[in-house]
């Protein structure tokens, strides 16, 4: 197989080609309107997306990391500086950054080995009465049981601790018939191009059914204004999604569920040929296969094996937040209690899994996986 014919981790040109007519129609209409920020298209997408998730408020922002930062700012009370935010250390560092930017301290907890999602028991051991918040990341398209966590917190007398859902990899994921993003006090989404619902640029959103939280986030994402040019709260800035991205996302929103099914079908093909040498992660019945991630004891050899057969791979994520060199001097807690996280980080490997893969590409990957298992 030549490099040109190799199976890449993603090919976003195919997404554009599939929806080209609809996208170009809506983008052209938006451009002709002469209103390219804070306009009708953004309002339409926000309304449609909040309805899709099942909450009442959706604030569009520039990216998913801003969304996390604003969400934490909105749910933590005055005097929270220096307090802890409970989270995992294996999700790329975004929640960690959001905490530090709010003068909060990440308190890392461990994960479940088969899903790589947060271990609820570890959360319950880490939380205290003055914990500022819990960030629950629905990683790789898998879903954390937030409802169960709420019940457990209430039983421990800790129901006052706000839960932020990081849904950057879980657009349309469900658990118990409920949609990820509707389960916590506030939820955040990224619309980075490779997401299950991705823009052709960047964007993010904060969702909640608490009007007061939504109002605070709207202030923070517009310089902290209480009215035009009048700053009512500190630490605000400019964080907006443009109208063109909102128009594109509104087109793609209508087929998120269909495309998630296509992702799941690809991942299920891989699982059907995996054996003892690869263990694909299990994110629950409502998972949406944002990535196809496996645990492999000989990862470097596995990646080289697939590369020889024309299949790209990647690692999500190669370094735990607490082990990043550039963050070594920042405040953090819980680093000594991450046995599963540390045992997993050198074994994780992602292989191509996206809705626009061709049948021959999926079969090429399956053949390579069978050959690897037969060695």
């Amino acid at each position: 197989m030549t490099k040109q014919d190799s199976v890449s981790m993603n090919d976003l040109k195919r997404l554009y080609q599939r929806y080209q007519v609809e996208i170009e129609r809506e983008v052209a209409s938006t451009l002709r309107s002469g209103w390219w920020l804070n306009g009708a298209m953004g309002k339409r997408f926000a309304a449609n997306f909040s309805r899709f998730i099942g909450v009442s408020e959706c604030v569009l922002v520039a990216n998913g990391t801003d969304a996390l930062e604003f969400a934490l700012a909105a749910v933590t009370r005055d005097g929270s500086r220096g307090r802890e935010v409970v989270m995992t250390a294996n999700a790329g560092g975004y929640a960690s950054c959001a905490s530090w930017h709010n003068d909060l301290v990440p308190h890392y907890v461990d994960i479940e080995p088969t899903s790589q999602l947060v271990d609820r028991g570890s959360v319950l051991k880490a939380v205290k009465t003055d914990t500022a918040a819990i960030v629950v990341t629905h990683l790789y398209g898998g879903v954390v049981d937030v409802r169960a966590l709420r019940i457990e917190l209430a039983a421990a007398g800790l129901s006052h601790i706000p839960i932020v859902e990081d849904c950057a990899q879980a657009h349309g994921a469900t658990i118990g018939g409920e949609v990820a993003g509707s389960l916590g006090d506030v939820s955040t989404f990224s619309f980075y191009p490779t997401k299950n619902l991705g823009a052709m640029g960047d964007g993010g959103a904060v969702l909640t059914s608490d009007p007061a939280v939504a109002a605070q986030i709207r202030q923070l994402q517009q310089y902290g204004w209480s009215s035009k040019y009048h700053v009512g709260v500190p630490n605000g800035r400019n964080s907006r999604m443009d109208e063109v991205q909102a128009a594109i996302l509104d087109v793609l929103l209508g087929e998120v569920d269909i495309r998630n099914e296509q992702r799941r079908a690809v991942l299920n093909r891989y699982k059907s040929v995996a054996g003892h040498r690869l263990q694909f992660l299990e994110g629950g019945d409502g998972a949406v296969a944002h990535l196809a991630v496996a645990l492999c004891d000989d990862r470097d050899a596995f990646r080289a094996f697939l590369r020889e057969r024309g299949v790209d791979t990647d690692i999500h994520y190669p370094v735990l937040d607490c082990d990043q060199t550039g963050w070594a001097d920042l405040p953090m807690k819980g680093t000594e209690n991450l046995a599963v996280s540390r045992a997993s980080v050198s074994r994780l490997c992602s292989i191509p899994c996206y809705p626009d893969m061709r049948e021959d590409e999926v079969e090429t990957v399956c053949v390579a996986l069978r050959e690897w298992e037969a060695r």
Side-chain angles (χ1 to χ4, degrees):
M1 179 176 286
T2 66
K3 181 63 178 176
Q4 185 176 359
D5 296 328
S6 66
V7 184
S8 61
M9 285 298 294
N10 212 321
D11 185 351
L12 293 172
K13 294 190 301 294
R14 299 181 191 181
L15 171 68
Y16 175 65
Q17 291 163 355
R18 183 168 176 176
Y19 298 99
Q20 180 174 352
V21 172
E22 299 93 329
I23 287 171
E24 290 184 355
R25 181 187 66 235
E26 293 301 321
V27 168
S29 175
T30 300
L31 294 175
R32 285 194 296 267
S33 76
W35 196 296
W36 303 331
L37 284 171
N38 300 331
M41 185 54 69
K43 291 182 177 63
R44 186 173 87 183
F45 172 65
N48 288 338
F49 191 60
S50 62
R51 190 177 305 113
F52 175 76
I53 299 300
V55 299
S56 60
E57 305 277 351
C58 174
V59 184
L60 303 181
V61 298
N63 53 68
T65 308
D66 279 4
L68 273 170
E69 185 175 338
F70 294 148
L72 279 176
V75 300
T76 54
R77 301 175 180 85
D78 293 339
S80 291
R81 181 172 181 165
R83 287 166 56 194
E84 297 174 10
V85 179
V86 172
M87 66 184 69
T88 60
N90 69 327
Y94 312 109
S96 294
C97 286
S99 295
W100 288 316
H101 291 166
N102 279 295
D103 292 320
L104 299 166
V105 178
H107 186 139
Y108 299 117
V109 296
D110 215 355
I111 56 177
E112 297 177 349
T114 57
S115 68
Q116 299 287 292
L117 300 173
V118 68
D119 175 72
R120 300 200 313 270
S122 294
V123 173
L124 294 171
K125 290 178 183 177
V127 291
K128 301 175 292 189
T129 55
D130 65 344
T131 296
I134 300 166
V135 175
V136 170
T137 300
H138 301 302
L139 195 62
Y140 306 135
V143 191
V144 178
D145 193 340
V146 178
R147 293 296 188 204
L149 178 58
R150 279 195 180 282
I151 292 170
E152 291 160 352
L153 289 170
L158 299 169
S159 59
H160 64 281
I161 300 174
I163 297 176
V164 176
E165 288 182 83
D166 177 359
C167 305
Q169 300 184 1
H171 310 69
T174 61
I175 186 167
E178 296 180 288
V179 181
S182 68
L183 307 169
D185 295 274
V186 61
S187 62
T188 65
F189 287 82
S190 165
F191 301 112
Y192 185 80
T194 58
K195 302 300 186 183
N196 294 53
L197 176 59
M200 294 182 178
D202 211 343
V206 185
L207 286 87
T208 182
S209 287
D210 186 332
V213 169
Q216 186 173 354
I217 291 166
R218 288 190 175 97
Q219 279 191 278
L220 291 171
Q221 57 113 214
Q222 183 78 358
Y223 310 109
W225 284 354
S226 54
S227 60
K228 192 172 183 179
Y229 303 132
H230 293 266
V231 176
V233 296
N235 303 318
R237 64 174 177 275
N238 168 12
S239 182
R240 297 182 286 234
M241 179 189 292
D242 68 69
E243 292 288 281
V244 169
Q245 298 307 325
I248 293 168
L249 288 166
D250 205 53
V251 169
L252 300 178
L253 176 60
E255 297 219 338
V256 169
D257 290 336
I258 293 172
R259 292 175 66 78
N260 283 343
E261 283 295 335
Q262 293 166 336
R263 287 177 180 271
R264 278 189 285 259
V266 172
L267 179 55
N268 287 336
R269 288 274 298 278
Y270 297 161
K271 288 180 178 179
S272 72
V273 299
H276 68 284
R277 303 190 72 192
L278 289 172
Q279 299 88 47
F280 282 94
L281 303 185
E282 298 291 343
D285 292 340
V288 291
H290 171 65
L291 291 166
V293 181
L295 293 167
C296 180
D297 288 333
D298 198 354
R299 182 175 68 191
D300 291 344
F302 175 65
R303 297 187 75 191
F305 185 86
L306 262 62
R307 184 166 56 248
E308 291 169 0
R309 285 151 182 78
V311 178
D312 285 350
T313 61
D314 206 342
I315 303 172
H316 300 87
Y317 298 93
V319 184
L320 298 178
D321 296 8
C322 54
D323 294 335
Q324 291 284 6
T325 302
W327 295 339
D329 295 329
L330 295 177
M332 62 181 76
K333 294 186 178 180
T335 58
E336 70 281 3
N337 297 316
L338 303 176
V340 178
S341 302
R342 294 193 183 283
S344 302
V345 71
S346 63
R347 302 175 63 218
L348 293 164
C349 187
S350 303
I351 63 176
C353 180
Y354 62 99
D356 302 305
M357 288 183 73
R358 300 191 308 266
E359 168 60 28
D360 64 293
E361 292 172 324
V362 177
E363 184 57 27
T364 293
V365 178
C366 287
V367 168
L369 295 181
R370 290 190 195 98
E371 291 176 352
W372 173 257
E373 291 288 358
R375 290 183 69 184

